[in-house]
Amino acid sequence: MSEVKMSSLFELESIEKGLFRGQSWDLGFRALFGGQVLGQALAAAHNTVEDDRVVHSFHTYFLLPGDAKKPVVYDVEVVRDGRSFSARRVKAIQDGRNIFYMTASFQTVEGGMTHQYADMPDVPDPESLDSDITFYEKNYDKLSTSMQEALSYHKPIDIRTVDAANSFKGQAREPVRHVWLKVRDEMDDNLGLHQATLAYASDYHFLSTALQPHGIAVSDKGLRMATIDHAMWFHRPVNLNDWLLYAMDSPFSGNSRGIVKGQIFNRAGELIATTMQEGMIRKKDK
């Protein structure tokens, strides 16, 4: 059993109508983990729509770095409630400042034309791979003090990277990454919870995929990375009690920015979600 449960991160306090407070997890990074704000903002928006509406997409901008030692307040604006679609705008606030914006769209479940023009990559099964957390536990002495103290907060999501790069040693490789992920402690059959959790997990290892062609280790002390925007589309129901494959690649980097895109498949090969992110990447000369 892990020390903390994934679902607890999305147990938001309702302050008043449309206003929620979420507690923060300190993951040992320089700033608040962007995935937390993605997942909690989506959970806050979900709390304001009818039960028959499911999020199908969101688009976000990260404006300021968050403080992982402080809670985050989420202000949800009801933009529209139509017969089939609902739109919400969410503002994340810390110390009276807007650190993040999300626009999310929800829809009732409908039938219609269906196709999938995306094949699931042929990669080793997750059962044949070590959990990423095992690597960090074996290299505990190489971690920063803040990362050592935060290691337990990385355990609720079991992440297993195919052909994982060494986080402490730069090595040039193609900008492609495949990651299996699931929750360690089974969650309730609540689609909104699973979608918020997948939004959280979608930020893991994502932007760093753009580092791979440049042979820069993610632990490089001269490296500065920050998410600028993150978008996600949900195609099919999410079940993170079973393994999902997150296939990522980076088609371009330049002008101190990198862009990454991802496709998330279930074990049956069905495309569950699509992601896109752009972020700042700067490397200081030693």
Side-chain angles (χ1 to χ4, degrees):
M1 295 289 289
S2 56
E3 288 83 347
V4 288
K5 289 183 179 291
M6 191 69 248
S7 59
S8 68
L9 189 65
F10 308 113
E11 295 172 357
L12 306 181
E13 175 191 356
S14 179
I15 302 172
E16 59 177 81
K17 186 176 181 179
L19 206 59
F20 304 89
R21 181 186 289 116
Q23 297 303 311
S24 294
W25 286 357
D26 187 349
L27 270 60
F29 301 140
R30 292 188 178 96
L32 181 65
F33 177 51
Q36 174 190 313
V37 187
L38 291 170
Q40 288 184 334
L42 185 57
H46 190 270
N47 285 342
T48 69
V49 300
E50 296 295 328
D51 291 341
D52 66 342
R53 312 227 160 180
V54 178
V55 68
H56 68 88
S57 71
F58 65 72
H59 302 261
T60 70
Y61 276 95
F62 290 81
L63 307 176
L64 292 169
D67 187 341
K69 301 189 184 312
K70 297 179 179 179
V72 183
V73 172
Y74 298 92
D75 186 354
V76 183
E77 175 189 352
V78 177
V79 179
R80 179 178 184 270
D81 280 319
R83 287 181 294 179
S84 300
F85 289 87
S86 292
R88 297 292 185 267
R89 186 176 295 119
V90 186
K91 180 167 56 177
I93 305 165
Q94 274 191 330
D95 295 326
R97 301 189 303 169
N98 301 340
I99 65 171
F100 165 96
Y101 276 104
M102 167 186 282
T103 301
S105 182
F106 296 77
Q107 183 187 10
T108 57
V109 178
E110 301 181 30
M113 294 177 288
T114 301
H115 80 272
Q116 176 177 319
Y117 193 66
D119 293 329
M120 181 177 178
D122 184 11
V123 299
D125 292 336
E127 291 83 3
S128 68
L129 304 171
D130 289 333
S131 178
D132 286 12
I133 199 73
T134 303
F135 171 81
Y136 292 105
E137 289 174 338
K138 290 179 179 178
N139 291 274
Y140 188 80
D141 59 326
K142 296 181 182 179
L143 301 176
S144 65
T145 301
S146 59
M147 186 63 76
Q148 290 176 348
E149 295 173 348
L151 207 56
S152 63
Y153 285 103
H154 292 267
K155 292 182 178 179
I157 300 286
D158 190 352
I159 297 175
R160 303 187 182 190
T161 304
V162 177
D163 189 25
N166 189 320
S167 300
F168 305 105
K169 183 178 180 181
Q171 179 184 356
R173 52 169 63 194
E174 290 186 351
V176 175
R177 178 176 287 156
H178 298 109
V179 171
W180 288 101
L181 48 87
K182 67 185 287 288
V183 291
R184 289 184 184 272
D185 295 323
E186 188 165 312
M187 298 193 301
D188 293 339
D189 185 17
N190 180 319
L191 181 55
L193 173 61
H194 285 259
Q195 289 181 315
T197 304
L198 187 60
Y200 171 92
S202 72
D203 198 33
Y204 260 108
H205 296 328
F206 202 18
L207 184 57
S208 58
T209 306
L211 294 177
Q212 293 184 180
H214 309 284
I216 301 173
V218 71
S219 60
D220 191 301
K221 293 183 178 180
L223 181 66
R224 295 293 182 271
M225 295 197 305
T227 302
I228 298 171
D229 59 359
H230 186 111
M232 192 164 186
W233 296 262
F234 295 90
H235 311 305
R236 290 183 171 94
V238 177
N239 178 16
L240 267 166
N241 291 327
D242 197 4
W243 290 104
L244 299 179
L245 178 65
Y246 195 3
M248 317 172 209
D249 68 85
S250 174
F252 175 82
S253 67
N255 199 33
S256 295
R257 301 193 316 277
I259 192 166
V260 286
K261 57 187 179 74
Q263 294 179 314
I264 301 173
F265 300 86
N266 62 21
R267 297 198 76 166
E270 295 175 318
L271 184 64
I272 300 301
T274 300
T275 55
M276 290 286 294
Q277 184 180 107
E278 186 176 44
M280 180 203 76
I281 303 176
R282 289 178 178 152
K283 175 73 165 63
K284 292 183 179 180
D285 294 330
K286 294 183 179 179

